[in-house]
Amino acid sequence: MKLSVWTYEGPPHVGAMRVATAMTGLHYVLHAPQGDTYADLLFTMIERRNHRPPVSYTTFQARDLGADTAGLFKTACTDAVARFNPQAIIVGASCTAELIQDDPGGMAETMDLGIPVIPLELPSYQRKECFGADETFYQVVKALSAPQDRTPRITANILGGTALGFRHRDDIREITGLLADLGIEVNVCAPLGATPADIARMPAAHFNVLLYPETGETAARYLERDHGQPYTRAIPIGVGATRDFIAEVQKITGLTTQPDTSALRMPWWSSSVDSTYLTGKRVFLFGDATHVMAMARVARDEMGFEVAGMGCYNREFARPMRAMAKDYGVEALISDDYLEVEQTIERLAPEMILGTQMERHIGKRLGIPCAVISSPVHVQDFPARYSPVMGFEGANVLFDTLVHPLVMGLEEHLLAMFREDFEFHDDAGASHHGGHARRPAAPETPAEPAAQEADTAQRESTVEVVWLPAAEKELKKIPFFVRGKAKRNTESFAAQKGVQEISVDTLYEAKAHYAR
Amino acid sequence: MTHSPTPSAGGCRSTPVLKERGQREVFCGLTGIVWLHRKMQDAFFLVVGSRTCAHLLQSAAGVMIFAEPRFGTAILEEQDLAGMADANAELDREVERLLARRPDIRQLFLVGSCPSEVIKLDLARASERLSQRFAPRVRVLNYSGSGIETTFTEGEDACLASMVPVLPQTDARELLVVGALPDVVEDQMVGMLEAMGVGPIGLLPSRKIGDETAIGPNTVYALAQPFLAETHAALGRRGARHLPAPFPFGEEGTTAWLAAIAEEFGVSREVFDAVTEAPRARARKAVAAATETLSGKSVFFFPDSQLEIPLARFLTRECGMTAVEVGSPYIHEAIMGPELDLLPNGPRIAEGQDVDKQLDRARADRPDLTICGLGLANPLEAEGLTTKWAIELVFTPVHFYEQAGDLAALFARPMRRKAALRLEAAE
């Protein structure tokens, strides 16, 4: 057992729902108790869908146990096929039904429903939502795709887009446009927008574009292995990665047309002088591995930030995440425990967080600006306006997203200049930050004793150092949004030097030491 | 006393109830935790369940999840399913860790879920064991909020019923008001009853464990919420006596509810009128503002909270609406009788659900306003029906006089919005 309040991922059958809801003509019969329909509202509310997810629940109750839950399941299958007339159905069990050991797949296959029946095995007590989506999509592709000739023109499938995906709708439109620029048509985009009939003609494409490894990698591997379709590895988030993606596509296809970059403003925006203050801003990244790894590159190489830490909640991608973190000189945090994430953020004291909905709230609590870059996200991150994060327009969107939470350059300069002014005093706060609700930037007490890792930075910051009154007064003159960093740097500098008492001199020696 | 309202058009008590089974689009009882933990300030609700349970609570609690809430889920993992002996040790360890971290917790509820019920994890014995271990600082109780046993608000019922057997014993004549109400509403209610000289008044649940009321054969109790069948039965077993009444929604419902208590405690007509006259006038006036929008319109209730019948009564009698179908997850005759008497004859009364069939009926009826859950609301809006999402009626202060106008406005707002928007049809 593990005590949990907040979960980054739902159970695997929610992943299966994300695939079913993304598609049309596919119905999901889910053996589940009353109440599991709560997941419908993720789609109708957060994603604002105008129809019910194509899911039938058997809704067994206590009195059905030991009697006829299998009969309920069969009735639900028959009713669903009669009412919704799907081209194919997927069948499976939720966590409770997994325990009562009816066999949905076996039962549905014996029913002769006249359409393909795809059974799902989703181990609810070991795996989670992304696995559920990935596995379901793979099973659907495996069951329905048929060997066939390639299309006469060069075409590609786009893999991995699902319902409830962070910006999937607009990413796919952006990448479809980019492929068109390169002279490539999209054969099938799946699961998002596809029907079972579309899945059947996926092997006609020349190659696959894998946009979301979390939800499409197993299917991509299957199509490569069984249908000889190569798939792209570069995730086109950010300018550099988009260019890598284009190069990869050109290598696969032999085409050399260059895409239209006339609307790509991000590189100039980032080079312009107002962006200079972004240099070396320390950011912490957390989310799903794909978005974090892509955004780490954007943060360091395209925004000029310093990556202070990175991590992901999906264990499946721990290995590449660790490798990348090593390249960036930081340690990867692989955890689905938000308390651990919070402790890490507190310890690293970054100036900005790029994360999920949860990190947005951690940022709020700690007074650190945050931008959302990954699922899980709330309703405001399913915007009405066009907002991809992939491709060239995606890069433009990302620049705005990453800059807005930070105080603008000129504003920051003015705030620093007038820091003693009555309007810009210590507790006024910047208007962006929710001002008065702000907690002190650096906590008085050291972090939780639980974090007793062999981490030097951690040890240094917990060494007993005393601030002399004059130094403390001087510290208060530093603008609040950099004061936490100044305090931390000074304390670790003092600890390194074996200094027990911090004077004004120590403060400025540390400042000189860390100058860049 | 002559404040009891008269049944109209024969009432609905003898209307045959359409009982349905099939797919249900409802929450399970775990959802009750989301508002119960706000009310009971020293209680922690520990669900023993799966990742699905944690995900449900997260979805239902919305942003509340970030406010260090006093609930959580002990997520069953694969090794917990393999051997049963281990599960108890695991639970003890998690509880110990939790109570060490949250020393402010005085009562802990172990809340059963579908997975824990199916594997027959004995939470009753676990709560006894843990109660002994952490006595006297912490009291540990258990109840089931599983979907296989409870629907939405029935979670509160199961929780309160678990508390009844451990309430202290008394022979004093006391009034007990049962059902979690928002603090502001509770204060208004207590204020009015005290002004009539009724007392002492106990509340279940109380805000803190130390405020808990005693109970015994001279206790009389009134239900402030309609979904308390189990608690009703448990109170009966302790010898307390129920005061049947309509539920305090709208001016009429509130007056009838207060009148039932006033009568029991021998409050004179003059005192009753003196206390209620001004708020009654205010309530009528506030409701009238929304009635302009609601009058003459039809309403269809999907089952959700068991509040449907009293709310249909309020909307038909005080706001001039016509009920087409009133669905409820469960209809308890003894509790709902006074309400059914008042509800004008005409609507279909449905208990249980087969959601696709019920949707077909709603589409055929084309009601002016449909009360339903969030899984159905946007899809029905897209079909051109106007909806009011039901869960808000459980979280928002809607009981008693001062909230009567707000209650009517909750139903009027979507209709006013529909009339105000001049947009092309939604995508």
Side-chain angles (χ1 to χ4, degrees):
Chain A
M1 272 180 219
K2 190 170 186 313
L3 184 60
S4 155
V5 176
W6 213 83
T7 62
Y8 283 97
E9 290 184 76
H13 72 259
V14 170
M17 287 180 72
R18 286 176 57 183
V19 171
T21 308
M23 293 179 62
T24 49
L26 181 74
H27 200 86
Y28 185 15
V29 180
L30 179 61
H31 204 17
Q34 161 172 280
D36 278 4
T37 51
Y38 81 87
D40 283 2
L41 67 87
L42 303 173
F43 300 92
T44 60
M45 298 306 292
I46 294 178
E47 209 179 11
R48 266 186 252 257
R49 289 197 171 248
N50 61 4
H51 59 86
R52 295 170 63 212
V55 184
S56 293
Y57 302 81
T58 56
T59 321
F60 57 83
Q61 290 176 278
R63 61 184 171 207
D64 304 318
L65 294 177
D68 197 21
T69 51
L72 279 177
F73 176 79
K74 286 185 179 172
T75 314
C77 282
T78 317
D79 288 356
V81 170
R83 179 174 281 270
F84 300 105
N85 193 24
Q87 296 173 21
I89 60 169
I90 51 178
V91 298
S94 80
C95 53
T96 306
E98 197 182 328
L99 298 171
I100 59 177
Q101 301 191 331
D102 292 332
D103 173 19
M107 284 192 288
E109 275 168 339
T110 60
M111 285 177 66
D112 197 19
L113 293 163
I115 51 169
V117 172
I118 305 160
L120 302 174
E121 288 293 339
L122 302 176
S124 310
Y125 297 90
Q126 298 161 34
R127 309 305 292 266
K128 293 178 238 170
E129 180 177 330
C130 287
F131 170 84
D134 185 65
E135 172 69 13
T136 303
F137 182 43
Y138 161 61
Q139 292 297 344
V140 168
V141 170
K142 194 172 126 198
L144 300 177
S145 59
Q148 57 204 285
D149 292 337
R150 299 277 191 256
T151 52
R153 300 184 53 184
I154 295 182
T155 56
N157 301 316
I158 295 181
L159 307 186
T162 64
L164 270 186
F166 175 66
R167 307 291 168 88
H168 287 195
R169 176 195 73 195
D170 296 342
D171 283 350
I172 285 167
R173 185 172 139 199
E174 186 66 20
I175 296 305
T176 302
L178 180 63
L179 290 171
D181 276 3
L182 299 173
I184 299 157
E185 270 175 42
V186 172
N187 178 50
V188 173
C189 172
L192 196 59
T195 63
D198 293 331
I199 302 287
R201 54 186 190 81
M202 283 175 77
H206 291 236
F207 72 106
N208 289 314
V209 169
L210 175 61
L211 289 190
Y212 308 102
E214 270 84 356
T215 49
E217 190 163 359
T218 309
R221 284 217 199 96
Y222 166 79
L223 288 166
E224 184 175 60
R225 195 175 60 236
D226 277 46
H227 296 281
Q229 291 173 323
Y231 67 91
T232 54
R233 263 66 169 185
I235 307 298
I237 296 177
V239 180
T242 301
R243 295 204 187 280
D244 289 354
F245 172 78
I246 291 166
E248 203 183 350
V249 168
Q250 287 175 336
K251 194 165 165 228
I252 291 171
T253 59
L255 296 170
T256 53
T257 328
Q258 286 303 317
D260 175 19
T261 54
S262 58
L264 174 61
R265 285 174 283 272
M266 193 275 191
W268 165 241
W269 252 242
S270 192
S271 309
S272 75
V273 292
D274 192 57
S275 299
T276 313
Y277 80 104
L278 299 174
T279 317
K281 285 264 183 207
R282 299 173 67 256
V283 296
F284 177 80
L285 299 104
F286 197 83
D288 71 54
T290 297
H291 282 91
V292 167
M293 293 198 293
M295 288 303 296
R297 177 172 173 189
V298 173
R300 187 185 70 178
D301 299 345
E302 298 175 15
M303 300 295 288
F305 294 151
E306 180 191 331
V307 173
M310 61 201 289
C312 65
Y313 55 77
N314 45 347
R315 217 158 273 283
E316 290 90 341
F317 291 78
R319 193 182 296 227
M321 172 62 77
R322 287 211 174 91
M324 183 169 188
K326 208 173 164 197
D327 277 354
Y328 278 62
V330 295
E331 207 174 316
L333 172 67
I334 315 292
S335 173
D336 60 358
D337 182 349
Y338 74 97
L339 291 172
E340 208 177 324
V341 177
E342 186 171 63
Q343 276 170 18
T344 307
I345 291 175
E346 228 162 354
R347 176 167 58 82
L348 295 172
E351 290 158 276
M352 187 185 195
I353 305 168
L354 307 181
T356 73
Q357 199 56 217
M358 190 60 207
E359 283 69 44
R360 195 169 69 82
H361 283 270
I362 293 173
K364 240 185 207 176
R365 205 172 78 71
L366 300 174
I368 302 171
C370 178
V372 171
I373 59 153
S374 156
S375 292
V377 293
H378 205 40
V379 62
Q380 68 266 34
D381 274 300
F382 285 92
R385 68 177 184 277
Y386 183 57
S387 4
V389 295
M390 290 185 172
F392 294 132
E393 182 57 23
N396 293 338
V397 167
L398 284 178
F399 180 84
D400 291 346
T401 310
L402 266 53
V403 162
H404 280 179
L406 296 169
V407 183
M408 301 296 287
L410 185 60
E411 214 172 305
E412 180 161 333
H413 172 70
L414 290 174
L415 277 172
M417 212 162 92
F418 297 118
R419 67 193 178 203
E420 302 276 79
D421 190 286
F422 74 99
E423 274 179 316
F424 297 102
H425 63 87
D426 262 8
D427 301 320
S431 56
H432 296 59
H433 291 179
H436 312 289
R438 198 172 52 82
R439 291 198 342 162
E444 292 302 314
T445 48
E448 297 281 310
Q452 285 167 346
E453 297 154 43
D455 185 311
T456 41
Q458 170 76 2
R459 252 189 291 123
E460 281 164 13
S461 68
T462 53
V463 167
E464 277 298 319
V465 284
V466 180
W467 284 77
L468 296 173
E472 205 159 7
K473 201 173 160 202
E474 196 69 15
L475 180 69
K476 289 219 172 102
K477 291 183 190 165
I478 296 171
F480 68 83
F481 41 82
V482 288
R483 195 181 304 146
K485 184 169 71 170
K487 182 163 188 269
R488 208 173 47 88
N489 282 351
T490 309
E491 284 170 0
S492 54
F493 176 78
Q496 273 173 29
K497 300 280 169 196
V499 178
Q500 300 275 315
E501 292 182 334
I502 295 174
S503 64
V504 176
D505 282 343
T506 325
L507 178 65
Y508 284 114
E509 273 165 29
K511 186 172 189 292
H513 179 80
Y514 288 104
R516 43 164 192 248
Chain B
M1 300 291 298
T2 55
H3 279 293
S4 305
T6 44
S8 57
C12 283
R13 204 188 284 241
S14 55
T15 304
V17 174
L18 175 63
K19 296 201 181 202
E20 277 192 309
R21 287 215 57 189
Q23 181 180 328
R24 287 179 151 216
E25 188 84 17
V26 289
F27 281 122
C28 66
L30 294 182
T31 329
I33 292 169
V34 176
W35 68 86
L36 277 175
H37 89 279
R38 303 304 313 156
K39 188 76 211 168
M40 292 187 245
Q41 295 163 8
D42 54 4
F44 191 100
F45 293 80
L46 180 62
V47 177
V48 182
S50 64
R51 178 167 300 281
T52 309
C53 307
H55 196 236
L56 158 86
L57 283 174
Q58 173 171 326
S59 309
V63 291
M64 217 187 261
I65 205 94
F66 303 110
E68 312 248 343
R70 277 171 287 101
F71 60 80
T73 309
I75 296 182
L76 292 165
E77 290 169 324
E78 193 160 49
Q79 63 265 29
D80 299 308
L81 304 174
M84 290 295 300
D86 199 33
N88 286 312
E90 292 267 309
L91 181 61
D92 289 8
R93 192 197 59 212
E94 286 303 325
V95 167
E96 195 165 327
R97 199 181 286 173
L98 169 70
L99 291 177
R101 210 171 64 198
R102 301 292 300 264
D104 51 323
I105 300 305
R106 299 283 320 280
Q107 36 184 343
L108 174 69
F109 289 95
L110 302 179
V111 188
S113 66
C114 301
S116 75
E117 297 294 325
V118 168
I119 63 169
K120 307 233 180 295
L121 189 58
D122 194 342
L123 292 182
R125 269 182 55 196
S127 64
E128 271 171 41
R129 184 177 68 236
L130 290 163
S131 244
Q132 278 172 11
R133 181 142 154 223
F134 294 102
R137 183 167 72 86
V138 185
R139 177 176 83 186
V140 186
L141 294 174
N142 84 289
Y143 71 91
S144 171
S146 73
I148 56 177
E149 291 156 304
T150 58
T151 305
F152 194 30
T153 47
E154 282 184 277
E156 175 173 335
D157 187 27
C159 173
L160 301 189
S162 78
M163 297 167 76
V164 172
V166 296
L167 291 177
Q169 179 74 21
T170 178
D171 285 331
R173 174 169 164 77
E174 286 182 350
L175 172 68
L176 182 63
V177 179
V178 189
L181 293 170
D183 288 353
V184 52
V185 175
E186 195 172 272
D187 292 344
Q188 288 168 16
M189 172 200 64
V190 170
M192 279 189 294
L193 289 172
E194 282 176 346
M196 290 180 206
V198 174
I201 303 164
L203 301 169
L204 183 67
S206 56
R207 292 179 204 184
K208 293 205 158 141
I209 192 169
D211 305 339
E212 252 174 16
T213 191
I215 185 173
N218 293 316
T219 307
V220 289
Y221 65 94
L223 299 178
Q225 301 278 22
F227 43 74
L228 298 170
E230 284 296 316
T231 312
H232 170 69
L235 289 164
R237 286 194 290 274
R238 293 285 306 263
R241 182 163 53 82
H242 179 217
L243 300 177
F247 292 93
F249 296 108
E251 183 268 321
E252 197 180 53
T254 306
T255 306
W257 190 87
L258 289 170
I261 295 169
E263 194 159 8
E264 169 71 21
F265 282 82
V267 177
S268 73
R269 174 72 189 257
E270 290 69 35
V271 171
F272 187 84
D273 284 347
V275 171
T276 60
E277 210 153 339
R280 288 177 72 181
R282 280 201 298 272
R284 274 196 298 266
K285 192 173 159 206
V287 170
T291 300
E292 277 174 38
T293 314
L294 297 174
S295 186
K297 302 295 198 312
S298 59
V299 60
F300 189 115
F301 280 88
F302 278 80
D304 190 56
S305 61
Q306 299 184 47
L307 296 172
E308 297 84 4
I309 292 172
L311 291 175
R313 182 261 303 158
F314 165 68
L315 289 176
T316 48
R317 291 175 63 110
E318 295 185 49
C319 303
M321 296 189 88
T322 313
V324 186
E325 172 163 334
V326 184
S328 178
Y330 185 65
I331 299 174
H332 191 274
E333 180 74 26
I335 293 175
M336 212 52 88
E339 288 288 355
L340 286 168
D341 285 337
L342 295 178
L343 183 63
N345 195 306
R348 289 185 296 269
I349 308 288
E351 184 181 16
Q353 186 175 38
D354 183 332
V355 71
D356 286 311
K357 287 183 187 156
Q358 196 165 28
L359 282 166
D360 287 344
R361 293 200 298 273
R363 288 177 187 126
D365 289 338
R366 300 292 301 174
D368 296 309
L369 184 65
T370 304
I371 322 298
C372 61
L374 290 172
L376 299 178
N378 271 336
L380 286 176
E381 289 281 349
E383 293 181 25
L385 294 177
T386 305
T387 62
K388 164 75 216 123
W389 42 283
I391 190 170
E392 194 177 6
L393 299 161
V394 176
F395 289 99
T396 313
V398 292
H399 295 69
F400 293 96
Y401 292 128
E402 311 304 344
Q403 284 68 238
D406 302 342
L407 176 59
L410 284 180
F411 297 100
R413 193 170 302 124
M415 304 187 71
R416 283 181 23 231
R417 181 168 181 80
K418 181 76 110 213
L421 290 182
R422 291 178 174 80
L423 290 168
E424 296 302 307
E427 62 173 286

